[in-house]
Amino acid sequence: MKIAVVGYPNVGKSSLVNRLTQSREAVVHERAGVTRDRKELDTEWNGRRLTLIDTGGVDLDDRDELAVQVQHQARAALADADVALLVVDARGGLRPGDHDIADILRRGALPVVVAANKIDSVKDLPLAAEFHALGFGEPIAVSAAQGLGTGDLLDSLTALALDADATAVDPDAEPPVRLAVIGRPNVGKSSLVNRFLGVDRVIVSPRAGTTRDAIDLPFTYRDREFTLIDTAGLRRQGKVGESVEYYTALRSQRAAERADVALVVCDATEGITAQDLRIGDLAMKSGCATAMVLNKWDIATDVDLDYERGRVQQKLRLRPRVMTVSALTGRHLERLLAESLALADRSRGRIPTPQLNRFLSELVADRQPPAKQGHRLKLIFMTQTEEGPPRFSVQVNSRSRVTRDYAYYLENRLRDRYRLEGIPLVIDFVERNQRRPGPEREARNRRAGVRPQAESEPDVTPGTAAA
């Protein structure tokens, strides 16, 4: 069952959503108007699954363009919901804006539950009585900050729910591809997301920093399920001043960490900037496959695409593909989605061990391994140990003879052979007769402060090759 959480600005809707879902996914700040797009979060109560749709504050007297778009998002949430949860500020009392929202809800067909928020102690309970005037029955006194009354609120909501097992989850179904759209502010990320979905699902504005939350949006492409993640813009660390921007940037980074593929969107009219390269490096360290996307290609006239591609190949170890797209016209959109799907599949794929050992033999034949003090490094055996991102184990006669240069050479040849451009790789060099510990043993070693042997010197950039 979907529940649209609506109300006047700064009444604590996002705080209440975080409390009910036991998460910190919704951005919360003392400033009014922080939430803009609608964000869906799942929770469970008494065996029933609920989806809460957090929305921005609705002030019908505010005719600013951005405020009007927030109102449209709230109306869309109500159209998609089964129940409306009207959140009011019990300390602030009943205000004209609450009456305006109540009028909208009365015209609809949804059942309405009123939550009188900011009742932080028993002595504040009488403050909720004033909201009987809205005409939706008994207001439920709650405190998003303290958690008081949230159980009663969830009981009221689940009482309106349909049968909990209406949709069964197939345990054998392939997990959706998580596709994060990240980049600097105002490069067209939200416009690109809307073009992917075919509807105006997230707010688009010429103002930089319009998107505040990381919004998960499901859609289907070529019979494959995707979860599209729209994110806030990432500025340089030194330019992140206010606390709201700090927390929104933090959510964008976490979106990259839980994504399978990251599309680093750049402004084609400016080319690929140093900050775009930093974001691409962030995606690599997060462990997700990456592609650089030059948006606004329809108006870019002075961009040398070959130069930009060469610069990315030189600066980023993942060597991601540089692609062009226009969110305005939809040009090359299909190709971008196909590349995202291919990146996800290659990142999750497994290369057979016989193929890897043939590759290893050809590698040694083309370039002899280094020698130290008259003793040459021998590459004996290679296998893939993990996927998503791929991890490989190379058995050697002595790890101390592995040089950084040769480790990079192996990594680059591996990318060329198996089309792993844009995919982070981890390569462990393990001495003969030393078994690499399994995941459980590695976890115990980390808790005990024991450094895994596969991460001993010589060291290589974290997230790629380890010697």
Side-chain angles (χ1 to χ4, degrees):
M1 181 181 73
K2 289 190 175 184
I3 301 162
V5 183
V6 296
Y8 198 73
N10 215 28
V11 296
K13 297 182 295 300
S14 297
S15 299
L16 185 59
V17 167
N18 281 344
R19 173 67 67 173
L20 296 178
T21 58
Q22 298 181 343
S23 70
R24 295 184 179 179
E25 290 296 320
V27 175
V28 174
H29 197 268
E30 59 191 17
R31 181 196 306 172
V34 170
T35 303
R36 290 169 178 169
D37 292 295
R38 64 187 193 271
K39 181 180 178 71
E40 297 186 6
L41 295 171
D42 294 326
T43 189
E44 185 176 333
W45 184 254
N46 290 337
R48 295 180 183 271
R49 297 185 62 181
L50 306 175
T51 299
L52 300 177
I53 309 175
D54 187 24
T55 65
V58 175
D59 182 359
L60 298 180
D61 292 333
D62 189 348
R63 303 314 301 169
D64 179 77
E65 180 185 356
L66 192 56
V68 170
Q69 291 194 63
V70 171
Q71 295 167 25
H72 290 331
Q73 289 287 321
R75 292 178 188 272
L78 290 170
D80 190 36
D82 304 299
V83 177
L85 175 59
L86 174 58
V87 183
V88 294
D89 184 349
R91 288 186 177 273
L94 190 60
R95 63 187 86 189
D98 298 326
H99 281 293
D100 293 339
I101 300 171
D103 287 340
I104 294 174
L105 295 176
R106 274 192 288 270
R107 297 192 200 105
L110 296 182
V112 180
V113 176
V114 178
N117 192 25
K118 305 186 182 179
I119 306 268
D120 296 332
S121 63
V122 175
K123 66 180 181 180
D124 295 330
L125 285 173
L127 298 176
E130 182 180 6
F131 297 94
H132 278 93
L134 294 175
F136 296 119
E138 182 77 23
I140 300 174
V142 298
S143 169
Q146 306 295 333
L148 302 176
T150 53
D152 294 336
L153 177 59
L154 286 168
D155 284 339
S156 298
L157 293 172
T158 53
L160 300 170
L162 302 175
D163 291 337
D165 54 355
T167 56
V169 177
D170 183 4
D172 298 326
E174 191 172 11
V177 176
R178 297 182 298 274
L179 178 60
V181 182
I182 61 178
R184 293 183 294 120
N186 216 27
V187 294
K189 298 183 297 299
S190 295
S191 298
L192 189 59
V193 167
N194 285 340
R195 177 62 71 169
F196 280 146
L197 299 174
V199 294
D200 292 338
R201 175 58 178 82
V202 291
I203 294 175
V204 174
S205 172
R207 302 182 197 176
T210 299
T211 303
R212 294 269 175 79
D213 257 319
I215 312 296
D216 289 19
L217 306 164
F219 78 107
T220 304
Y221 171 73
R222 290 185 179 176
D223 297 327
R224 291 283 296 274
E225 298 297 323
F226 279 75
T227 298
L228 194 60
I229 310 173
D230 185 26
T231 64
L234 290 167
R235 297 181 187 272
R236 276 195 312 169
Q237 196 71 25
K239 291 189 175 182
V240 178
E242 56 180 20
S243 58
V244 173
E245 190 171 8
Y246 169 78
Y247 288 114
T248 56
L250 194 62
R251 279 165 171 77
S252 297
Q253 294 174 21
R254 288 177 179 171
E257 290 171 1
R258 60 191 173 90
D260 299 310
V261 179
L263 299 180
V264 181
V265 182
C266 316
D267 189 335
T269 61
E270 301 175 9
I272 297 176
T273 66
Q275 178 62 4
D276 295 327
L277 295 173
R278 290 190 194 97
I279 296 172
D281 191 59
L282 168 69
M284 178 198 76
K285 292 177 179 177
S286 300
C288 60
T290 306
M292 307 294 289
V293 180
L294 287 169
N295 190 25
K296 308 181 184 179
W297 191 247
D298 53 310
I299 58 174
T301 56
D302 300 326
V303 179
D304 186 343
L305 187 56
D306 291 333
Y307 169 78
E308 300 295 344
R309 284 174 172 160
R311 188 158 173 263
V312 168
Q313 294 282 317
Q314 181 184 13
K315 297 290 185 180
L316 294 179
R317 286 207 42 207
L318 261 69
R319 298 194 295 168
R321 287 192 63 186
V322 178
M323 308 189 69
T324 61
V325 72
S326 170
L328 182 64
T329 66
R331 180 184 179 186
H332 295 164
L333 195 73
E334 187 85 9
R335 188 174 66 177
L336 183 57
L337 280 172
E339 175 64 16
S340 302
L341 186 57
L343 279 172
D345 288 340
R346 288 199 293 269
S347 179
R348 293 174 177 177
R350 181 172 284 271
I351 304 171
T353 299
Q355 290 187 24
L356 288 174
N357 283 287
R358 283 195 294 272
F359 159 77
L360 201 62
S361 299
E362 295 172 9
L363 183 87
V364 172
D366 290 343
R367 177 176 171 181
Q368 281 290 312
K372 286 186 178 180
Q373 298 177 345
H375 298 283
R376 187 169 298 280
L377 170 69
K378 293 182 180 179
L379 306 181
I380 302 167
F381 183 80
M382 183 175 184
T383 187
Q384 183 173 351
T385 56
E386 297 177 14
E387 60 273 338
R391 185 167 192 155
F392 301 90
S393 177
V394 180
Q395 192 178 90
V396 297
N397 60 338
S398 174
R399 291 198 336 272
S400 63
R401 297 172 194 164
V402 180
T403 63
R404 182 184 297 269
D405 179 64
Y406 203 80
Y408 286 174
Y409 169 68
L410 191 154
E411 178 187 343
N412 290 334
R413 287 288 299 270
L414 194 61
R415 289 190 193 282
D416 292 338
R417 171 67 67 87
Y418 297 105
R419 299 181 60 202
L420 298 176
E421 296 87 356
I423 298 173
L425 306 179
V426 182
I427 303 174
D428 300 307
F429 292 93
V430 184
E431 283 191 10
R432 182 169 22 190
N433 300 326
Q434 286 186 349
R435 295 181 60 188
R436 184 176 174 272
E440 294 182 0
R441 179 67 177 273
E442 281 190 335
R444 288 198 299 271
N445 288 345
R446 281 196 297 269
R447 288 195 294 269
V450 178
R451 189 178 183 186
Q453 291 186 7
E455 295 178 4
S456 301
E457 298 296 334
D459 193 18
V460 184
T461 305
T464 49

